[in-house]
């Protein structure tokens, strides 16, 4: 499907007259159109669609609908109904009163396109440029505040046994779609029972010993499949499948071979991933045994920053954070949102940085400042919480980017070990 055309049109006169009569003071959607005209034009989406094929809907219009949908917290069905029925939305979108709109499923398809690569970031930059041109946002001398929040991955939480079984099941499904004839002779007896349905805890064997035997059987099945995929007679395209690579990585993280070549189940993590521990000798850094294999006591799964926890989102990670409301555990990502905050203008999010969930706030600060610099924001006063502030980050922000970093300094839990001047001794 090629790109549709719908932007660059004037609002139909009848739509203007009816919208003004029914909403004489205007609505938020009408104010956006009056103040900013069209936030997006179809040319902004030129590389999202092929050049040939049947004409689709205007991507600029779909982007505007998605923004209004988020602002009013509507479902896809409700947003499609608003396009069809609401006069202020038709005014904002420049539509005729008799335009029937579109099916609600189009919105999820549009979001899938927007999620590819850096398209969402580029679309945000386009919107910020329009806000700057309208005088609603200043690039120089503004105040910016940044905070992080957790983003949940669209996956269910799996224990380690469920993880390996579900990873192998997902790989078999993708291989069956890619080349069913190649896969059929490799299927072993019992695979239909083990991988024919999603892996759930209540379907797994009961008891520690039986559960470990099941995990080792899944491991042997996965090794059999990996050897076949990477065999000389296998079509090379099968090795590039995403689930095949995920299977390989998960098996490296969850299994190992002992000196006799037997497949072994790695032990669970005994500590949490912390930046202060990354230089400590652990696991793979420990001296190997005489046969070159890791000692079973140290052959553990990797830290949370590396460990794959779902085959359906291999980049999602487990994280744990202490907050004022208590401990927060989640699987997904950590999102850093930077917002312009001025007394005279609107508060607008101008930059978003998404990082792995276990990565601490301070580790994302340099990437945030570099992104703000690419958007030509200069001479900023940047307000953050204690997670972003260290003496080094304050100095780096001022020297490298001309940004004044402002936030509370974290207390030093080992201050009593270093007697001298502290922040408590200040004015």
């Amino acid at each position: 499907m090629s790109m549709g055309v719908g932007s660059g049109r004037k609002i139909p006169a009848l739509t203007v007259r009816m919208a003004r009569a029914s909403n004489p003071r205007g609505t938020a959607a009408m104010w956006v159109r009056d103040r900013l005209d069209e936030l997006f034009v179809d040319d902004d989406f030129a590389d999202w669609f092929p050049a040939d094929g049947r004409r689709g809907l205007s991507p600029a219009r779909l982007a505007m609908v998605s923004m209004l949908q988020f602002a009013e917290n509507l479902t896809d069905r409700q947003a499609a109904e608003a396009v069809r029925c609401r006069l202020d939305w038709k005014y904002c979108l420049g539509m005729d009163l008799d335009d029937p709109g579109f099916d609600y499923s189009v919105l999820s398809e549009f979001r899938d396109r927007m999620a590819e690569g850096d398209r969402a970031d580029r679309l945000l930059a386009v919107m910020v440029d329009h806000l700057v041109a309208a005088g609603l946002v200043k690039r120089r001398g503004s105040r910016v505040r940044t905070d992080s929040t957790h983003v949940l991955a669209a996956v269910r939480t799996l224990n380690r046994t469920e993880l390996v079984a579900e990873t192998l099941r997902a790989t078999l499904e993708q291989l069956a779609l890619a080349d069913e004839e190649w896969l059929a002779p490799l299927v072993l007896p019992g695979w239909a029972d083990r991988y024919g349905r999603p892996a759930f805890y209540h379907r797994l064997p009961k008891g520690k010993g039986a559960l470990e035997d099941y995990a080792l059987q899944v491991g042997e099945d996965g090794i059999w499949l990996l050897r076949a995929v990477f065999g000389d007679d296998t079509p090379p395209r099968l090795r590039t499948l995403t689930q095949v690579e995920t299977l390989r990585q998960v098996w490296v993280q969850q299994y190992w071979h002992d000196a006799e070549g037997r497949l072994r189940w790695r032990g669970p993590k005994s500590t949490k991933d912390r930046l202060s521990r990354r230089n400590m000798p652990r696991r793979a850094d420990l001296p190997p045994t005489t046969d070159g294999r890791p000692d079973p006591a140290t052959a553990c799964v990797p830290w949370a920053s590396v460990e794959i926890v779902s085959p359906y989102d291999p980049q999602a990670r487990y994280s744990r954070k202490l907050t004022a409301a208590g401990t927060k555990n989640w699987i997904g990502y950590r999102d850093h949102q930077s917002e312009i905050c001025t007394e005279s203008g609107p508060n607008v999010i101008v930059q978003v940085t998404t990082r792995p969930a276990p990565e601490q706030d301070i580790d994302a600060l340099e990437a945030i400042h570099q992104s703000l610099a690419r958007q030509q924001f200069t001479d900023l006063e940047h307000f953050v919480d204690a997670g972003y502030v260290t003496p080094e980050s304050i100095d780096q922000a001022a020297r490298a980017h001309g940004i004044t970093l402002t936030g509370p300094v974290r207390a030093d839990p080992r201050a009593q070990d270093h007697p001298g001047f502290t922040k408590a001794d200040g004015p």
Side-chain angles (χ1 to χ4, degrees), residues 358-390:
E359 184 174 289
Q360 300 302 306
D361 293 345
I362 186 64
D363 298 323
L365 185 62
E366 179 62 21
I368 294 171
H369 286 167
Q370 290 178 2
S371 180
L372 290 170
R374 286 194 297 270
Q375 292 180 265
Q376 301 177 4
F377 285 97
T378 59
D379 297 335
L380 298 176
E381 188 173 3
H382 194 185
F383 293 90
V384 294
D385 62 25
Y388 297 90
V389 179
T390 64

Side-chain angles (χ1 to χ4, degrees), residues 164-218:
V164 293
E166 196 65 15
T167 300
L168 184 51
R169 190 179 77 88
T171 306
L172 289 171
E173 289 186 348
Q174 191 174 52
L175 286 170
L177 291 174
D179 196 333
E180 186 176 3
E181 293 182 359
W182 175 87
L183 179 63
L186 298 173
V187 176
L188 299 176
W191 280 20
D193 293 334
R194 283 194 291 273
Y195 314 118
R197 299 185 299 173
F200 285 99
Y201 178 78
H202 64 272
R203 295 174 181 165
L204 300 179
K206 301 300 185 286
K208 182 177 180 181
L211 198 61
E212 185 170 346
D213 291 342
Y214 175 84
L216 290 174
Q217 180 61 61
V218 174

Side-chain angles (χ1 to χ4, degrees), residues 224-247:
W224 166 265
L225 186 62
L226 286 171
R227 286 173 177 166
V229 170
F230 287 92
D232 295 336
D233 299 332
T234 301
R237 60 186 175 84
L238 298 182
R239 300 167 195 159
T240 63
L241 296 177
T242 56
Q243 291 295 349
V244 170
E245 177 58 20
T246 301
L247 176 69

Side-chain angles (χ1 to χ4, degrees), residues 12-34:
L14 182 58
T15 302
V16 174
R17 189 162 63 251
M18 295 295 293
R20 290 297 181 192
S22 58
N23 300 285
R25 295 185 179 181
T27 66
M30 296 171 66
W31 298 334
V32 168
R33 181 65 187 238
D34 291 340

Side-chain angles (χ1 to χ4, degrees), residues 12 36 41 57 105 111 136-137 142 178 204 207 283 287 339 395 416:
L36 301 175
V41 296
L57 297 169
S105 62
R111 288 195 298 271
L136 298 175
V137 171
S142 294
L204 300 179
R283 299 188 182 119
E339 176 187 55
D395 180 69
Q416 65 276 10

Side-chain angles (χ1 to χ4, degrees), residues 117-403:
D118 63 344
R119 289 175 176 177
D121 293 332
R122 287 157 49 195
L123 208 58
L124 177 61
V126 168
M127 187 178 70
V128 171
D129 289 341
H130 279 79
L131 294 172
V132 171
L136 298 175
V137 171
K138 295 192 301 181
R139 293 191 190 274
R140 184 180 181 86
S142 294
R143 290 183 172 184
V144 179
R145 59 187 177 196
T146 297
D147 201 0
S148 65
T149 185
H150 61 278
V151 178
L152 301 180
V155 296
R156 65 184 175 95
T157 302
L158 303 172
N159 61 39
R160 292 179 58 207
T161 309
E162 291 173 321
L163 169 65
V164 293
E166 196 65 15
T167 300
L168 184 51
R169 190 179 77 88
T171 306
L172 289 171
E173 289 186 348
Q174 191 174 52
L175 286 170
L177 291 174
D179 196 333
E180 186 176 3
E181 293 182 359
W182 175 87
L183 179 63
L186 298 173
V187 176
L188 299 176
W191 280 20
D193 293 334
R194 283 194 291 273
Y195 314 118
R197 299 185 299 173
F200 285 99
Y201 178 78
H202 64 272
R203 295 174 181 165
L204 300 179
K206 301 300 185 286
K208 182 177 180 181
L211 198 61
E212 185 170 346
D213 291 342
Y214 175 84
L216 290 174
Q217 180 61 61
V218 174
E220 294 288 356
D221 294 342
I223 294 294
W224 166 265
L225 186 62
L226 286 171
R227 286 173 177 166
V229 170
F230 287 92
D232 295 336
D233 299 332
T234 301
R237 60 186 175 84
L238 298 182
R239 300 167 195 159
T240 63
L241 296 177
T242 56
Q243 291 295 349
V244 170
E245 177 58 20
T246 301
L247 176 69
R248 187 191 66 81
Q249 293 185 29
V250 170
W251 256 236
V252 169
Q253 294 178 1
Q254 301 294 336
Y255 297 98
W256 65 286
H257 287 90
D258 62 17
E260 287 76 28
R262 294 175 301 180
L263 191 68
R264 301 286 296 272
W265 182 237
R266 291 187 184 271
K269 296 187 291 289
S270 58
T271 59
K272 302 295 182 182
D273 182 15
R274 295 181 185 173
L275 184 63
S276 60
R277 293 175 174 167
R278 290 185 179 176
N279 294 326
M280 297 174 62
R282 298 184 54 207
R283 299 188 182 119
D285 297 331
L286 293 175
T289 57
T290 55
D291 58 9
R293 301 287 180 176
D295 185 82
T298 60
C300 302
V301 295
W303 282 321
S305 59
V306 177
E307 184 184 12
I308 295 175
V309 292
S310 173
Y312 303 109
D313 192 346
Q315 285 75 44
R317 297 291 183 265
Y318 167 82
S319 186
R320 179 173 180 267
K321 183 178 181 180
L322 295 177
T323 66
T327 302
K328 180 66 180 180
N329 299 280
W330 79 98
I331 292 175
Y333 304 86
R334 189 176 300 217
D335 203 46
H336 305 265
Q337 301 179 0
S338 299
E339 176 187 55
I340 292 288
C341 49
T342 61
E343 296 179 357
S344 57
N347 294 344
V348 179
I349 293 176
V350 296
Q351 194 274 333
V352 176
T353 297
T354 303
R355 310 292 289 184
E359 184 174 289
Q360 300 302 306
D361 293 345
I362 186 64
D363 298 323
L365 185 62
E366 179 62 21
I368 294 171
H369 286 167
Q370 290 178 2
S371 180
L372 290 170
R374 286 194 297 270
Q375 292 180 265
Q376 301 177 4
F377 285 97
T378 59
D379 297 335
L380 298 176
E381 188 173 3
H382 194 185
F383 293 90
V384 294
D385 62 25
Y388 297 90
V389 179
T390 64
E392 293 82 2
S393 65
I394 295 173
D395 180 69
Q396 172 68 12
R399 289 177 179 271
H401 306 288
I403 294 176

Side-chain angles (χ1 to χ4, degrees), residues 50-65:
D52 55 356
R54 181 172 61 88
R55 287 283 184 181
L57 297 169
S58 165
R61 181 172 292 173
L62 292 175
M64 196 66 208
V65 171

